[in-house]
Amino acid sequence: MSNSAVRSQRAWARVAGFLYWAVLVVDLAGLQLHSSVLGRLLTLAGSLLTVPLALGLYYAVRPVNPSLAAGALCFRLMEATLGTLSTLAGFAALQALLSGTIVGVAILRVAHWDDATSFAAFVFTIGSSIFFYLFARSDYIPRILAWWGLFASLLALAACLTHLLRPAFPAMTMYAWVPLLLAETSTGLWLLIKSVDAAKSEATMANSLT
């Protein structure tokens, strides 16, 4: 890659690292205040911030496999869309406005279904698994971070899938999500401070082809 492409990739990686933490802080604050208007606004902000986070991760790992990176980006954007709809549907004024139109009723049904099934969380785990898989295929970040992130993402994915098949199973059980929380915070910190080592990854992939 050219020097400008490497600088851009490293800049996007740092954006992703910062937003890993920003989304986490905003989401946790939103959960603490979930019943208030401020809590809903914070949750909405978390969903919206997922968009630049997903773009940062996409541009950081795109050189490894553009197709898989694009797929992961789509899943994370779907997550952000579902999260935004679910949060907006929680505002009484918007509920009244949406309930008066066919499209609005459809949006409310999607939001209710997402809340009942935790489908946005399921979609998130798919995108997270792909992104960590791409990190694991490269030397952009330490292998232990990449493989731990992949394991944690798949563990959370399994919990969400089990909940979809058996609704009595708690999708958001802490045993399934704490490992991913640790993976995202540690990876986010690494990306923010160190970014990605594009030169090392290119050398490794070149050697694997010879």
Side-chain angles (χ1 to χ4, degrees), residues 58-74:
Y58 167 73
Y59 285 113
V61 300
R62 184 176 61 173
V64 182
N65 188 313
S67 298
L68 281 179
L73 173 64
C74 288

Side-chain angles (χ1 to χ4, degrees), residues 33-115:
L33 303 169
H34 68 280
S35 59
S36 65
V37 173
L38 177 59
R40 293 193 184 98
L41 289 174
L42 288 170
T43 302
L44 178 61
S47 294
L48 295 176
L49 286 173
T50 299
V51 175
L53 167 59
L55 288 171
L57 292 171
Y58 167 73
Y59 285 113
V61 300
R62 184 176 61 173
V64 182
N65 188 313
S67 298
L68 281 179
L73 173 64
C74 288
F75 280 114
R76 293 304 305 263
L77 292 180
M78 189 186 307
E79 169 214 341
T81 301
L82 290 170
T84 299
L85 291 178
S86 294
T87 305
L88 289 176
F91 291 94
L94 284 175
Q95 285 184 10
L97 181 64
L98 292 172
S99 61
T101 65
I102 296 177
V103 174
V105 170
I107 291 175
L108 290 175
R109 286 177 178 173
V110 169
H112 177 73
W113 173 73
D114 178 47
D115 289 337

